[in-house]
Amino acid sequence: MGLFDRLDQAASRTCDIVNEIPFTMTPMKSTPNGEPSVDAGRHTIDGHGIFDYVDNQYGIELGVRKSYREANDLRALQSGREPRLSVDRRRFPSLMDEARQGDVIEFPSRPDLPRFEVVSVMRDGLSRMSIKLVHLGRQS
């Protein structure tokens, strides 16, 4: 393991100590157009990660109608926030247990946050993964 990898792990652990909150990931499975259900072949993960709402701007294509030579314009007319969870990969015991699209993530220590569904999982190339989430709504 190189020096840079060791420094990245040390920085990752320091960020976790300062900013992490506990989460529970429930693995889910579903068929196309089917109701999701708990995946019994995978374990529920209780871990810690850094949750944040990331600012995001969405481009909307505007048609320019002045002349046929001008191209359409792509501007960021809409801005919003996107929920993300950054997790150290060592929180998952094996590759099989890592988050997948459709899994449900809850934050038991933060009742102000709704349940989330995993949309995508991206690795940063080093020791962390960024999990993009979408709101599922409040439990009743």
Side-chain angles (χ1 to χ4, degrees), residues 71-83:
N72 284 342
D73 192 7
L74 193 64
R75 296 183 188 173
L77 297 177
Q78 177 85 21
S79 63
R81 48 189 206 152
E82 185 175 88

Side-chain angles (χ1 to χ4, degrees), residues 5 8-9 12 87-90 124-129:
D5 292 332
D8 176 64
Q9 287 180 353
S12 177
V87 180
D88 195 323
R89 289 178 50 204
R90 67 184 165 90
D124 71 351
L126 297 171
S127 63
R128 300 192 73 81
M129 58 178 53

Side-chain angles (χ1 to χ4, degrees), residues 67-115:
S67 71
Y68 69 91
R69 289 186 207 143
E70 293 183 34
N72 284 342
D73 192 7
L74 193 64
R75 296 183 188 173
L77 297 177
Q78 177 85 21
S79 63
R81 48 189 206 152
E82 185 175 88
R84 295 245 176 137
L85 178 64
S86 176
V87 180
D88 195 323
R89 289 178 50 204
R90 67 184 165 90
R91 298 286 183 189
F92 299 100
S94 69
L95 185 63
M96 187 71 178
D97 293 321
E98 288 186 2
R100 296 183 190 167
Q101 184 177 11
D103 291 348
V104 174
I105 293 183
E106 299 174 87
F107 298 96
S109 67
R110 295 280 308 269
D112 58 318
L113 292 175
R115 295 182 325 137

Side-chain angles (χ1 to χ4, degrees), residues 15 17 30-31 33 36 40 42 46 63-65 68 81 84 91 93 107 112 114 130 134 136:
C15 289
I17 289 170
S30 67
T31 58
N33 299 326
R42 294 169 53 215
D46 291 321
V64 178
R65 304 289 181 232
Y68 69 91
R81 48 189 206 152
R84 295 245 176 137
R91 298 286 183 189
F107 298 96
D112 58 318
S130 178
V134 66
L136 280 179

Side-chain angles (χ1 to χ4, degrees), residues 21-27 44-48 85 103-109 116:
I21 61 172
F23 70 88
T24 301
M25 184 192 80
T26 306
T44 299
I45 302 291
D46 291 321
H48 292 83
L85 178 64
D103 291 348
V104 174
I105 293 183
E106 299 174 87
F107 298 96
S109 67
F116 293 94

Side-chain angles (χ1 to χ4, degrees), residues 18-39:
V18 174
N19 299 308
E20 71 184 1
I21 61 172
F23 70 88
T24 301
M25 184 192 80
T26 306
M28 304 295 276
K29 66 177 181 177
S30 67
T31 58
N33 299 326
E35 185 73 24
S37 62
V38 176
D39 187 355

